[in-house]
Amino acid sequence: MADSGNPDSEPTTRTLLRRVLDTADPRTPRRPRNARAGAQRALLETPSSRRLSSQTKMTARRRSQRTKSIGKLAHVQASGHLEEQTPRTLLKNILLTAHPLLAVSAAPESSIVMPESVVKPVPAPQVVQPPRRESSRGSLELQLPELEPPTTLAPGLLAPGKRKQRLRLSVFQQAMDQELPLSQEPHGNADASSLTSSLNLTFATPLQPQSVQRPGLARRPPTHRAVDVGAFLQDLRDTSLALAPPDTVLEDTQPFSQPLVGQSPSVHHSLPCPSHSGAEDAERAVSHRTRSSGPRLQNNSPGKPAQLLAGRAEEVDALAMSFSHSSSSIFGEVAVEPLQDGVGEEAEERMEESLSMSKVKEAARAQGSARAEEPEGHTQVTEAEGSQGAIETKEPEGSSGDVDTSGRTVSPELAASTLEFLQAKQLQCLEPAPPPSTAVLPLEPLSARLPPRARTPGPKPRQGPYKTRLSHYAKLFSFYAKMPMERKALEMVEKCLDKYFQHLCDDLEVFAAHAGRKTVRPEDLELLMRRQGLVTDQLSLHVLVERHLPLEYRQLLIPCAFSGNSVFPAQ
Amino acid sequence: MAVSTTVSQRKHIKRKAPRGFLKRVFKRQKPHLRLETSGDLLMHLNCLLFVQRLAEESRTNACENKCGVIKREHVLAAAKRQRLLLTGISM
């Protein structure tokens, strides 16, 4: 092989060409080196060369990282002229025919530019092609006559060509950077793919700044908070399932966590976790409930007297919850409605109301022992299972009847179930199993506690649902911070929020008084935000609303014109 | 016609504003005042922005102290700065 003039620092090239030589199909006649067009035709005509090209492709990929290897066309070309030519001349032919656009190898002998698809004219590179091709051709033609006899001069001539081609490579890369990479060669060599992938990367990035440059039009950031709430709910569920100790105030954000010391975990386990989105959550909760309610009911029965004796509103609510749980466990209903829609004061209010309703019904029935039986009745139902049929018949009636009484979406069913339980117990099981009789006595003082409990809404609910709401914002804080936080830090955040709310209300009062009003209007809010520096002349309130609030609230806040010459909300 | 003031039943709003809570807080603080319908939404917006600023500030504090965790001192310092910078009337 005429390698003297061609310092083959890359044996792979030689092996490549040797392979090509060995397996070359001598069908294609040797074309004159200058006949680039002919070479192209040869490229097209050689089907077998494709096989060779595949082989050469593989080897090319191997060395492609360094050489930015020979393309298919090059190999095809090489194969076409195999018999007569030496590896060097083959390479030269490749250079001739190759599209001198793509990368030039660092290796000396492989000043082979990656052939662009000469067959497939790529419009973008073609702009760059002709000058390069000409120049390369020129340089090659200079070299070629001297290559006939392989001489040592060729490498010297190759060098300037290489340099030129290397320069052209940089120019080409710049040109490519400016233009999008068009249809990539199917014979995507690894280099080609890597190059284009790198180019693709560079193309990807310019698209982004365009949106960044126009922040005013940018929509609000992605909805991470949805995930956060979901994680929050998941935490609730997990804590409720995992028997969270009562001292983890922050995690156990159940509304009744604080007042209930011993029984709260057990009660909460029976509580279904709130889930807006998932029936699956409810199902899971129900399954947990059914699992837990069985053993829990036993615990609850002795625990309930203690709870009620403590005389807290939340306990009664917990009782109601447990009633409903027992009912659901008995009937196997999937009370999908989450008990804690708002995780907090609403549930509490509902429960209070339902209990008050139940109390009213009890009073109406004028059965003194009924009240005492209330707490135990449900447990007894589970235990006795004797009144199941009767209760089931009562259940649907009661649920339909009590929907309007309690007036809430969730609580009607539960309240109905609880009420129906009471009614059923009263009507049919006046004397259920022996345990209730024993439990009646300790429960009688509970009934005495029931009325006063309704009158203590002030300080107690302040703790429970207020804390949950604050922790709602605290979780938002931990989300916005994007860093792990200590528990004490979260408590501090809650304190700050508390103070913030106080300041907020004071400010609003001052603003409303300044306007001579007794109602705080959105204008006062806007003035407050302006004073805080959130709303500026550049940044209007509407933009903030659009960014941070969900769409439904935006509709309520920003006046928008509708059909019929109407604007909503009215100004 | 105009859009209904209430959200349709099955609509699930993510990142809901705790309107009841906000209304109740206001009522507790200022029972002699009334809060309008959209007022609590803007209050919620204000809270969000406040929390955001606070979080940003505490994160900066924590990073300055080269902590990987936000501690309560960072939060406290951030809150103090907020109080100072805010040009509220009663602050």
Side-chain angles (χ1 to χ4, degrees), chain A residues 1-264:
Chain A
M1 305 287 287
D3 299 321
S4 59
N6 199 357
D8 273 336
S9 60
E10 286 185 273
T12 54
T13 316
R14 188 178 308 171
T15 53
L16 168 76
L17 287 173
R18 276 210 190 117
R19 203 173 300 127
V20 170
L21 280 168
D22 295 341
T23 59
D25 188 358
R27 277 187 299 153
T28 58
R30 178 187 174 182
R31 306 268 180 198
R33 293 184 207 95
N34 301 340
R36 197 192 59 214
Q40 295 178 10
R41 264 177 272 132
L43 164 74
L44 292 167
E45 288 164 17
T46 57
S48 61
S49 61
R50 279 182 217 115
R51 275 182 278 120
L52 296 170
S53 71
S54 66
Q55 295 171 12
T56 57
K57 235 194 293 181
M58 285 166 49
T59 57
R61 281 200 203 97
R62 263 176 246 130
R63 62 181 188 96
S64 63
Q65 290 172 2
R66 272 196 300 142
T67 65
K68 298 201 178 117
S69 66
I70 305 164
K72 178 168 87 175
L73 290 171
H75 301 314
V76 170
Q77 298 302 319
S79 67
H81 306 82
L82 274 177
E83 292 177 335
E84 302 83 3
Q85 293 180 354
T86 62
R88 149 169 282 147
T89 54
L90 283 173
L91 291 171
K92 294 311 147 221
N93 289 332
I94 289 164
L95 281 174
L96 260 185
T97 61
H99 198 291
L101 268 188
L102 296 181
V104 181
S105 70
E109 75 284 0
S110 55
S111 56
I112 294 164
V113 292
M114 197 147 61
E116 219 26 36
S117 65
V118 183
V119 183
K120 310 171 199 172
V122 180
Q126 265 183 353
V127 177
V128 196
Q129 276 183 18
R132 289 202 191 152
R133 206 174 279 167
E134 292 168 351
S135 53
S136 69
R137 211 183 313 139
S139 66
L140 284 173
E141 281 169 350
L142 279 176
Q143 301 162 13
L144 283 171
E146 306 179 35
L147 283 177
E148 281 290 324
T151 59
T152 56
L153 294 175
L157 288 169
L158 270 178
K162 273 176 277 170
R163 267 182 245 117
K164 284 179 203 161
Q165 283 157 353
R166 280 200 201 104
L167 286 172
R168 264 172 249 119
L169 166 65
S170 61
V171 172
F172 160 71
Q173 272 180 340
Q174 289 162 16
M176 286 298 283
D177 282 339
Q178 286 150 19
E179 297 155 345
L180 286 171
L182 297 173
S183 63
Q184 302 307 324
E185 312 311 327
H187 53 278
N189 301 320
D191 271 344
S193 56
S194 63
L195 184 67
T196 52
S197 61
S198 64
L199 290 172
N200 281 332
L201 287 173
T202 58
F203 286 121
T205 46
L207 296 175
Q208 274 186 356
Q210 292 168 12
S211 60
V212 172
Q213 288 156 11
R214 290 180 276 175
L217 295 181
R219 303 297 291 193
R220 61 172 164 269
T223 62
H224 299 298
R225 241 186 301 153
V227 177
D228 181 57
V229 171
F232 169 63
L233 298 176
Q234 186 64 40
D235 288 344
L236 283 180
R237 241 172 280 123
D238 294 341
T239 55
S240 74
L241 290 177
L243 281 170
D247 61 353
T248 58
V249 172
L250 290 166
E251 277 139 11
D252 190 3
T253 53
Q254 299 291 334
F256 319 116
S257 58
Q258 288 89 13
L260 301 175
V261 179
Q263 298 304 318
S264 57

Side-chain angles (χ1 to χ4, degrees), chain A residues 20 47 87 120 160 169 211 241 244 254 271 273 325 358 424 465 500 534-535:
Chain A
V20 170
K120 310 171 199 172
L169 166 65
S211 60
L241 290 177
Q254 299 291 334
L271 286 174
C273 296
H325 289 308
S358 64
Y500 161 76
L534 297 166
V535 173

Side-chain angles (χ1 to χ4, degrees), chain A residues 225 472-473 476 500-501 504 508 520-526 528-529 534 541-542 544-559 568-569, chain B residues 3-7 13-24 26 34-50:
Chain A
R225 241 186 301 153
H472 174 66
Y473 283 111
L476 280 179
Y500 161 76
F501 277 128
L504 183 75
L508 290 178
V520 174
R521 287 235 190 104
E523 297 97 55
D524 301 329
L525 265 293
E526 173 157 13
L528 175 74
M529 297 181 74
L534 297 166
L541 178 66
H542 289 186
L544 286 177
V545 166
E546 192 165 314
R547 268 193 210 163
H548 298 278
L549 290 185
L551 174 70
E552 291 80 12
Y553 297 156
R554 183 192 180 280
Q555 284 171 353
L556 295 176
L557 282 172
I558 299 181
F568 179 82
Chain B
V3 172
S4 71
T5 51
T6 56
V7 177
I13 302 181
K14 298 181 184 173
R15 293 170 289 150
K16 247 190 200 172
R19 302 185 71 174
F21 168 72
L22 292 172
K23 181 112 190 182
R24 177 191 302 195
F26 187 77
R34 279 185 275 156
L35 183 59
E36 270 207 17
T37 313
S38 315
D40 59 347
L41 293 178
L42 288 172
M43 261 178 81
H44 177 66
L45 178 65
N46 208 3
C47 294
L48 288 184
L49 292 169
F50 169 75

Side-chain angles (χ1 to χ4, degrees), chain A residues 223 225 345 349 469 473 477 481 484 486 492 501-502 506-507 509 518 520-521 528 531-532 553 562, chain B residues 3 15 17 21 24 29-30 32 34 36 44 46-47 55 58-59 68-71 76 87 89-90:
Chain A
T223 62
R225 241 186 301 153
E345 74 275 14
E349 285 171 347
R469 286 294 164 226
Y473 283 111
F477 180 93
E486 284 184 352
M492 176 63 55
F501 277 128
Q502 289 171 10
D506 293 338
D507 285 352
E509 179 183 12
K518 287 214 172 154
V520 174
R521 287 235 190 104
L528 175 74
R531 284 198 67 112
Q532 288 184 348
Y553 297 156
F562 287 88
Chain B
V3 172
R15 293 170 289 150
F21 168 72
R24 177 191 302 195
Q29 299 264 334
K30 311 284 167 196
H32 53 278
R34 279 185 275 156
E36 270 207 17
H44 177 66
N46 208 3
C47 294
S58 7
R59 186 154 72 108
V69 184
I70 294 184
K71 298 213 167 83
L76 204 54
T87 57
I89 295 177
S90 337

